[in-house]
Amino acid sequence: MAPILENQLPGAGEAGNNNNEDEEGQNLWSSILSEVSTRSSSKLPSGKNILVFGEDGSGKTTLMAKLQGADHNKKGRGLEYLYLNVHDEDRDDLTRCNVWILDGDLYHKGLLKFAVTAHSLPNCLAMFVVDMSRPWIIMESLQKWASVLRDHVDKLKIPPESMREMEQKMVKAFQEYTEPEDATPSSPQRRAPTAGEDEDIVLPLGDNTLTHNLGIPVLIVCTKCDAVSVLEKEHDYKEEHFDFIQSYIRRFCLQYGAGLIYTSVKEEKNLDLLYKYIVHKMYDFKFVSPALVVEKDAVFIPSGWDNEKKIGILQENFTTVRPEDPFEDFVTKPPVRKLVHDKEISAEDEQVFLMKQQTLLAKQPATPTRGATESPGRAASGSPRPAGRAGQPSVTSGSPMASVKKPDPNMKGAANEGVLANFFNSLLSKKTGSPGSPGTGAVGAGVQGSAKKTGQKPGLTDVQAELDKMTRKQDSMVSANNIPPPMENEA
């Protein structure tokens, strides 16, 4: 019997080993299946939505396109759709976050029904975009778009139990906010610890905190913060103005439990911070950035950090305004500078212009020309001066060339005769040797005297008489041309 027992013992041992191997194989498969199921349950959720509200020109589409990584400037109408790629580096998972941008015109607010339903509302984040280049409309814009969202949520007719649960979730997230600690640089998107891992004391809410609870996270984004320097230079804005604006926005954020961030696409300021805060609020990624309140154009206040006392510290610097003063009274719209443009002068049609001129000329009385008025007077009134000159040919009127200086251009023949007469007179005066009397009369007198004394031939005197006659004729014609027209009194 002993050998038989020895033969049976090894077989029994082999059967036990096989059973152990089967159990280990089952445990291996169960561990793999449990790991796969765990990974599938921890994947990034899909169907998250960002609702963007704001005025036209506030930079909504440009901001979200920048977060998307696109540089296009295409602007839609009504309701625009974009998406953000969300990547979980720890689990190597990728998903898309829907972005719905409502038009700045209230006429299109009915399109919200295509973006937000009663089923998708718990997975939404509301973003109100305001423009820092137009700070005087900030509060009006926030109140308007918050009212639009509230009216739409009321129309969804969500059961009161579900709405109360969503509101309590927002209250809990606001109360449990703690200052972020330094995270590991290698894993900036590590998930935040779940509730129950770190129990802290929950403080009660303030009197003006979450009084307008929408049941979803809210974020206020101030765009175009690079316009702060422009407001200081051109509109004389001071530090007090920006502190006053910030205090009003922060009090609005307390009422809705919202976060606040100042951005600038032009200077690429706080854009990466905005993206990280969005994925933190929607996908529970770990967030390590603290609040930023030092720089007036790069403010960041996460939801749950702010309270009335911290806002009061900002209001202590007010000197010319009180915290309760109306927003519109202190932050006023600057007057519009009217540009003075030169009045545009349009050219008139040529034919129309000529017709007007013809009409004006026809209305004016006819005025006679100067030549027509002078010629009858000259013909009727004789000249007294030629008669005097005819009787006194030897008038001392200057040199013999005096008559040549002012010849009548219309009397070419008379001018030629005058030149010849002066030429012969000069020859006679040289022959007779009479000392310096240049005048025509003196030359004639000297010639006659010398002829009588020397007993010259009578032919020389005939030449002298002919020259005197030609001279008198020239003088009479020149004087007739130079006689002025008769005056009215003389007429």
Side-chain angles (χ1 to χ4, degrees):
M1 296 296 294
I4 297 175
L5 291 175
E6 290 178 358
N7 294 331
Q8 291 178 350
L9 287 175
E14 291 178 359
N17 292 333
N18 292 333
N19 291 333
N20 292 334
E21 290 178 358
D22 292 341
E23 291 178 0
E24 290 178 358
Q26 292 179 357
N27 292 335
L28 178 62
W29 281 109
S30 62
S31 63
I32 293 174
L33 291 175
S34 62
E35 184 179 355
V36 171
S37 62
T38 302
R39 286 186 177 182
S40 61
S41 62
S42 62
K43 282 187 176 181
L44 292 175
S46 60
K48 297 287 185 178
N49 300 281
I50 301 176
L51 311 176
V52 184
F53 303 87
E55 304 293 330
D56 287 334
S58 60
K60 307 183 296 294
T61 304
T62 305
L63 176 66
M64 300 312 298
K66 194 71 175 179
L67 295 181
Q68 187 188 32
D71 294 330
H72 67 81
N73 293 323
K74 297 179 181 178
K75 295 182 180 180
R77 187 72 175 171
L79 185 65
E80 299 180 64
Y81 173 78
L82 298 174
Y83 64 88
L84 300 180
N85 290 318
V86 181
H87 184 213
D88 187 356
E89 296 179 355
D90 291 343
R91 302 182 185 276
D92 194 18
D93 193 12
L94 180 67
T95 188
R96 287 183 176 181
C97 180
N98 303 314
V99 179
W100 304 92
I101 305 175
L102 185 64
D103 194 278
D105 191 353
L106 288 177
Y107 175 78
H108 302 285
K109 65 180 181 180
L111 298 175
L112 277 176
K113 63 183 179 182
F114 299 103
V116 185
T117 61
H119 175 71
S120 64
L121 181 64
N123 297 319
C124 291
L125 178 145
M127 180 186 297
F128 299 119
V129 179
V130 291
D131 183 3
M132 185 54 73
S133 65
R134 298 175 293 174
W136 46 88
I137 65 171
I138 285 180
M139 295 310 302
E140 178 184 358
S141 176
L142 290 176
Q143 296 290 350
K144 178 176 69 175
W145 294 113
S147 177
V148 169
L149 181 58
R150 167 57 71 184
D151 294 342
H152 181 73
V153 171
D154 294 340
K155 291 178 182 179
L156 295 178
K157 297 180 180 180
I158 300 176
E161 296 80 10
S162 300
M163 195 66 197
R164 192 177 302 108
E165 182 181 353
M166 293 169 60
E167 292 176 354
Q168 290 297 327
K169 184 178 179 181
M170 293 300 103
V171 172
K172 183 179 180 181
F174 193 92
Q175 291 176 328
E176 292 180 350
Y177 173 81
T178 56
E179 289 289 343
E181 299 177 356
D182 294 336
T184 306
S186 60
S187 58
Q189 293 184 340
R190 189 182 303 277
R191 290 183 179 270
T194 58
E197 294 181 2
D198 189 8
E199 295 292 339
D200 293 332
I201 299 175
V202 177
L203 298 176
L205 297 177
D207 296 335
N208 297 321
T209 304
L210 281 171
T211 56
H212 300 71
N213 194 341
L214 296 174
I216 59 175
V218 180
L219 179 60
I220 310 299
V221 180
C222 292
T223 59
K224 303 181 183 180
C225 290
D226 51 276
V228 169
S229 58
V230 179
L231 293 173
E232 291 177 338
K233 294 178 181 179
E234 296 185 1
H235 303 299
D236 198 23
Y237 271 50
K238 309 296 183 184
E239 289 284 345
E240 191 172 12
H241 288 83
F242 300 109
D243 291 343
F244 185 78
I245 294 170
Q246 185 186 142
S247 67
Y248 255 87
I249 298 177
R250 287 169 64 176
R251 279 187 284 179
F252 178 87
C253 292
L254 282 181
Q255 295 175 1
Y256 288 85
L260 172 63
I261 184 169
Y262 284 21
T263 64
S264 172
V265 175
K266 182 179 180 180
E267 299 179 353
E268 297 186 355
K269 186 176 295 184
N270 282 350
L271 297 181
D272 186 59
L273 182 63
L274 173 62
Y275 175 81
K276 291 180 179 179
Y277 187 71
I278 289 175
V279 297
H280 161 69
K281 297 296 293 183
M282 303 197 73
Y283 298 97
D284 293 330
F285 284 1
K286 189 173 181 63
F287 188 70
V288 297
S289 297
L292 306 173
V293 293
V294 178
E295 297 182 10
K296 58 188 174 184
D297 58 347
V299 176
F300 170 64
I301 299 175
S303 175
W305 179 86
D306 211 359
N307 54 43
E308 291 286 349
K309 292 183 179 180
K310 293 178 180 178
I311 298 177
I313 297 174
L314 183 67
Q315 296 171 348
E316 290 177 356
N317 299 324
F318 294 170
T319 56
T320 60
V321 67
R322 294 176 298 177
E324 61 274 8
D325 287 347
F327 185 83
E328 297 79 9
D329 293 348
F330 188 65
V331 185
T332 58
K333 182 179 180 179
V336 180
R337 299 178 181 178
K338 295 182 179 180
L339 299 177
V340 180
H341 296 284
D342 294 336
K343 187 177 180 180
E344 183 178 356
I345 301 175
S346 58
E348 192 176 10
D349 185 69
E350 182 180 359
Q351 297 300 324
V352 176
F353 172 77
L354 293 176
M355 290 295 294
K356 289 182 178 180
Q357 297 301 320
Q358 185 180 9
T359 305
L360 294 175
L361 291 175
K363 293 180 180 179
Q364 294 180 357
T367 56
T369 60
R370 182 178 178 184
T373 55
E374 291 180 354
S375 56
R378 290 183 180 179
S381 62
S383 176
R385 296 176 64 184
R389 284 194 175 186
Q392 299 177 358
S394 60
V395 178
T396 59
S397 59
S399 64
M401 299 298 293
S403 60
V404 184
K405 293 183 180 179
K406 296 181 180 179
D408 189 356
N410 297 325
M411 302 297 292
K412 296 182 178 179
N416 293 333
E417 293 178 357
V419 173
L420 292 175
N422 292 329
F423 172 74
F424 285 112
N425 283 331
S426 63
L427 292 177
L428 293 174
S429 61
K430 289 181 180 179
K431 289 182 179 181
T432 54
S434 61
S437 48
T440 309
V443 172
V447 169
Q448 291 179 358
S450 61
K452 290 179 181 180
K453 289 180 181 180
T454 58
Q456 291 180 353
K457 295 180 181 181
L460 185 60
T461 58
D462 295 338
V463 174
Q464 182 64 40
E466 187 66 25
L467 291 174
D468 291 340
K469 183 178 178 181
M470 293 173 61
T471 303
R472 287 195 300 270
K473 183 179 179 181
Q474 176 197 1
D475 291 339
S476 62
M477 295 178 66
V478 172
S479 60
N481 292 331
N482 294 332
I483 293 175
M487 304 298 291
E488 295 180 358
N489 295 333
E490 296 178 358

